[in-house]
Amino acid sequence: MQTIVVIVVISASLLIAGFSYLRAKSLGKEARKKEEQVRHRMYELAILKEISDRIGYSLNVEKIVDIITASLEQFIPHSAASYMLLGPGKILFKVNLRKPVSPLFIDEVRGRMLDSLSALLEKDLSRVSVEATVVGVLTDEEAAESVNSFFNIPLVIGGNVVGVLTVADSAEGLYKEEEMTLLYKIVGQASRAVTRLEEVVKTEQRKLSAMVESMADGVVMIDKDYRVLVANPSAKRIVGFLAEEKPTIFDFIDALTGVFDIKGKLEEALKTGNTLAMDNVAVGERVFHILISPVSGHGTKKTELFGGVVIFHDITYEKELEQMKEDFISMMVHELRSPLDGIKKMSEFMGVDPAIREDEKRYREYIKLIHEGSSEILELVNDLLYVAKIESGKFDVDVELADIKDIIKQRIRFFETTAKDARIELTSLFDKNAKSEIRIDPLRISQALNNLISNALKFTKPGGSVVVQVLAHKQGQSIESEAQKVGIKWFLKDKEEKLKNYPDALFIAVTDTGEGISKSNMGKLFNKFKQFESVVRSGRRGTGLGLVIAKGIIKAHGGIIGVDSEEGTGSTFYFILKS
């Protein structure tokens, strides 16, 4: 009995000891497993932190993959950690060797990676140039091991495959699912981080592109390799490209040959870091002020050069305006010189020739010439003052109830003698439905009519006609139909749709049978700095300020003024006053 008890106790002790041993062994495994998991997690966090730090100032995928491949030694045994990235026109292949292997080993890795990348992209990459770089330990020409352990991880940025990362070793069955899963996780998180940052950058780029696209100035942005990153529509027009086309730096070089050395100036700006400026560069029929500037940013250690920008500022209008001002000043000097010269000569004759004072007829004639000359100068000065007031916004009108028909009849009587001497028929035509009395400044409206009638007489040949017309317009009605009912004939067909919905108003028009105005000259009207070539060639005198003043008067009344014409047939100058 005693023996049985001893046996039971011993058996129980052995069982307890065995259980304790197995429990301790199990706990040891769990501890080692947890330790391994902690080590893996620490590795993962360290790698992700380094990637995050790098991403903070760079979107360079190559640098990010370099971090991963360089750190794999402490986690996964391997002979080589490699990656392939798609580049512009080539494939980048970089191998980080941890053990000496033969060139054949590297070639085998290269071939497998290229096959994997081709399969992922569903493209034949066999003819694409591969730029290889080998870092780490030296290769061993005599090594005979082949690739026995190998796995690829796709590199995906923004949903697009940009390359593959590969771990390879000469030993067989080396890689476990756990290591591969962790590496997939690290690569995946790095890819997502880059993708998010790229989306932010692309959003900002779209905003920038939208602003650049809408700029009137031509803008061309290039990178350090002189690839055109941005060329807005204005810049494309300079080289004769359509908005949807994508010109290269060579297109700009060809288009600007002999005019502007865009490549040379960019090289100079990038080399010196200075902004260059070029004035009065003529490209075709346009004149540009061109700025060439390097584009750089500040990294962690030094200023990083990103590329350059060329801005084409069109100064054609400014140059034309400058020339027009010079022509206008020259014309004004001429207009003033003639009457001043006449006054000077007449006064000299009257002062030195006693006979003139004795001859009453000659004396009165000289006095008349002096009066006419001074009146002409005063009229010119007044016109300039009117224009100055109009342009400064200080031109006022004194509105009162006045008879527009009476004003027109007075103006016709005033010009009757001039028209008769020029053998031109001057008449008027009134719409019986037109209101006679409206609120206007009678003096200013008379002045506007004077300018329109005198211009019409000046450009109408003998035997022609000038007619002042008044039409009552109802909003929404056809101007042409309204005019036909009244018997008015004029040149307002091109303005039909534009004027149809104008509120109820009076149309006052001066229609002539003169030489008419070409479409190209239409835009030169109502501008004090512009004269038609035909006017300049014909030698007709005048400053062209009359239409500017008339426009200012009608605008001050809240109306609009315009013109329509048929070249070789005649013109209609009109203004509209709300009734």
Side-chain angles (χ1 to χ4, degrees):
M1 184 67 180
Q2 206 172 21
T3 303
I4 295 172
V5 171
V6 171
I7 293 171
V8 170
V9 170
I10 293 171
S11 299
S13 298
L14 288 172
L15 286 171
I16 292 170
F19 178 77
S20 299
Y21 171 76
L22 293 174
R23 177 61 177 166
K25 186 176 181 181
S26 175
L27 289 174
K29 287 183 179 180
E30 288 181 9
R32 285 192 295 274
K33 185 177 181 181
K34 287 183 179 180
E35 183 182 345
E36 187 70 14
Q37 289 174 344
V38 170
R39 186 174 69 83
H40 287 180
R41 183 58 179 162
M42 291 297 292
Y43 165 76
E44 178 186 347
L45 291 174
I47 296 300
L48 289 175
K49 183 181 183 304
E50 191 173 355
I51 292 171
S52 177
D53 292 341
R54 185 68 60 90
I55 290 174
Y57 62 88
S58 174
L59 275 175
N60 193 319
V61 178
E62 184 178 352
K63 291 180 180 179
I64 294 169
V65 182
D66 273 335
I67 297 171
I68 298 173
T69 55
S71 64
L72 289 178
E73 184 179 22
Q74 57 184 298
F75 171 60
I76 300 175
H78 60 277
S79 300
S82 315
Y83 63 82
M84 270 189 176
L85 292 175
L86 293 170
K90 62 184 178 182
I91 295 172
L92 302 177
F93 171 53
K94 187 171 183 178
V95 184
N96 194 329
L97 291 181
R98 292 301 178 184
K99 300 176 184 176
V101 296
S102 69
L104 292 175
F105 184 98
I106 296 174
D107 288 343
E108 187 178 349
V109 170
R110 175 184 177 280
R112 289 193 184 190
M113 292 180 72
L114 195 61
D115 290 342
S116 297
L117 191 57
S118 297
L120 287 168
L121 295 172
E122 297 182 350
K123 291 181 180 178
D124 181 10
L125 301 177
S126 59
R127 297 183 180 180
V128 180
S129 173
V130 178
E131 184 179 291
T133 304
V134 180
V135 297
V137 301
L138 298 175
T139 57
D140 184 357
E141 297 286 345
E142 297 180 358
E145 297 91 344
S146 60
V147 178
N148 292 311
S149 293
F150 177 95
F151 72 92
N152 278 321
I153 297 177
L155 298 173
V156 181
I157 305 295
N160 298 314
V161 175
V162 299
V164 290
L165 184 148
T166 298
V167 178
D169 200 281
S170 55
E172 293 183 3
L174 194 61
Y175 304 124
K176 300 175 183 179
E177 183 179 349
E178 186 178 0
E179 284 83 359
M180 289 188 288
T181 300
L182 183 56
L183 192 53
Y184 267 106
K185 186 176 179 182
I186 291 171
V187 172
Q189 289 194 28
S191 297
R192 287 191 293 275
V194 175
T195 299
R196 286 194 296 271
L197 187 55
E198 274 197 343
E199 287 172 355
V200 173
V201 172
K202 285 178 180 178
T203 299
E204 295 304 314
Q205 284 178 335
R206 283 193 291 270
K207 293 178 183 177
L208 176 62
S209 295
M211 288 188 287
V212 172
E213 290 284 310
S214 63
M215 288 177 65
D217 290 341
V219 179
V220 180
M221 295 182 180
I222 56 101
D223 63 14
K224 291 185 291 186
D225 296 321
Y226 299 94
R227 289 174 294 198
V228 176
L229 303 177
V230 174
N232 71 346
S234 297
K236 292 177 183 179
R237 282 194 293 271
I238 294 171
V239 291
F241 271 68
L242 299 175
E244 62 272 15
E245 293 182 292
K246 295 182 179 180
T248 66
I249 190 65
F250 302 106
D251 294 313
F252 282 98
I253 292 171
D254 292 341
L256 300 172
T257 297
V259 174
F260 169 55
D261 181 11
I262 185 170
K263 180 78 165 8
K265 292 299 179 183
L266 278 167
E267 286 176 348
E268 183 180 347
L270 296 181
K271 184 178 180 180
T272 62
N274 297 325
T275 297
L276 309 177
M278 296 186 68
D279 285 318
N280 302 323
V281 179
V283 182
E285 297 180 354
R286 315 302 296 175
V287 181
F288 296 92
H289 174 74
I290 303 177
L291 286 175
I292 310 97
S293 176
V295 178
S296 58
H298 296 282
T300 55
K301 295 181 180 180
K302 61 180 181 179
T303 299
E304 183 178 358
L305 185 65
F306 298 132
V309 61
V310 183
I311 299 175
F312 296 82
H313 176 58
D314 194 335
I315 58 172
T316 306
Y317 177 75
E318 288 89 336
K319 298 296 290 185
E320 290 177 349
L321 190 61
E322 184 180 328
Q323 184 61 50
M324 285 188 289
K325 287 181 177 178
E326 290 178 5
D327 294 341
F328 179 74
I329 292 170
S330 176
M331 179 187 65
M332 294 302 298
V333 169
H334 174 76
E335 291 290 327
L336 287 167
R337 180 180 291 163
S338 296
L340 283 171
D341 188 53
I343 292 171
K344 180 175 179 291
K345 288 179 179 178
M346 293 303 104
S347 60
E348 284 178 352
F349 288 153
M350 292 174 70
V352 299
D353 189 351
I356 293 177
R357 291 193 294 272
E358 300 296 330
D359 189 337
E360 185 177 349
K361 184 178 179 182
R362 288 181 64 192
Y363 184 79
R364 288 181 179 279
E365 184 180 347
Y366 278 23
I367 291 294
K368 182 182 178 183
L369 290 172
I370 290 173
H371 179 267
E372 288 177 351
S374 59
S375 296
E376 191 175 336
I377 293 172
L378 181 61
E379 184 180 350
L380 181 58
V381 171
N382 283 336
D383 283 351
L384 288 171
L385 290 173
Y386 281 134
V387 171
K389 284 183 178 180
I390 290 168
E391 292 185 341
S392 65
K394 297 178 180 178
F395 188 78
D396 298 320
V397 292
D398 297 322
V399 176
E400 61 182 68
L401 200 61
D403 192 325
I404 187 66
K405 292 182 180 179
D406 189 50
I407 292 172
I408 291 172
K409 288 176 181 178
Q410 288 178 20
R411 293 304 90 208
I412 288 177
R413 284 197 296 271
F414 179 82
F415 284 101
E416 270 181 353
T417 302
T418 303
K420 190 177 293 184
D421 291 342
R423 293 187 290 116
I424 297 171
E425 182 183 10
L426 177 60
T427 59
S428 61
L429 178 59
F430 296 93
D431 179 355
K432 64 180 181 179
N433 296 317
K435 291 173 62 176
S436 180
E437 291 190 336
I438 58 173
R439 293 189 61 77
I440 56 173
D441 184 331
L443 181 62
R444 297 301 190 197
I445 292 297
S446 294
Q447 187 179 3
L449 282 167
N450 284 346
N451 290 330
L452 298 185
I453 294 171
S454 64
N455 273 352
L457 292 172
K458 186 187 298 183
F459 291 97
T460 301
K461 295 179 180 180
S465 65
V466 173
V467 55
V468 183
Q469 304 150 318
V470 179
L471 174 70
H473 168 63
K474 292 292 182 181
Q475 186 174 6
Q477 297 296 310
S478 165
I479 305 294
E480 186 176 2
S481 297
E482 290 175 324
Q484 286 176 352
K485 289 177 183 178
V486 181
I488 291 176
K489 295 180 180 179
W490 53 16
F491 303 94
L492 290 186
K493 291 183 179 179
D494 290 347
K495 301 293 189 293
E496 168 69 22
E497 288 302 318
K498 180 181 178 181
L499 300 175
K500 182 176 181 179
N501 291 317
Y502 196 83
D504 293 1
L506 285 183
F507 273 65
I508 295 96
V510 178
T511 300
D512 63 61
T513 58
E515 62 189 54
I517 306 167
S518 67
K519 295 293 183 183
S520 60
N521 278 330
M522 284 285 194
K524 297 179 182 179
L525 293 169
F526 306 105
N527 189 318
K528 69 178 181 180
F529 294 127
K530 292 187 178 181
Q531 278 192 312
F532 302 164
E533 292 181 6
S534 60
V535 175
V536 176
R537 288 197 304 268
S538 66
R540 295 187 181 99
R541 295 183 63 189
T543 61
L545 296 177
L547 289 178
V548 179
I549 294 169
K551 181 180 179 180
I553 291 170
I554 302 306
K555 188 176 179 181
H557 279 79
I560 61 174
I561 190 169
V563 61
D564 213 339
S565 181
E566 187 175 312
E567 194 170 4
T569 304
S571 305
T572 296
F573 284 82
Y574 65 91
F575 59 88
I576 308 173
L577 300 173
K578 293 179 181 179
S579 59

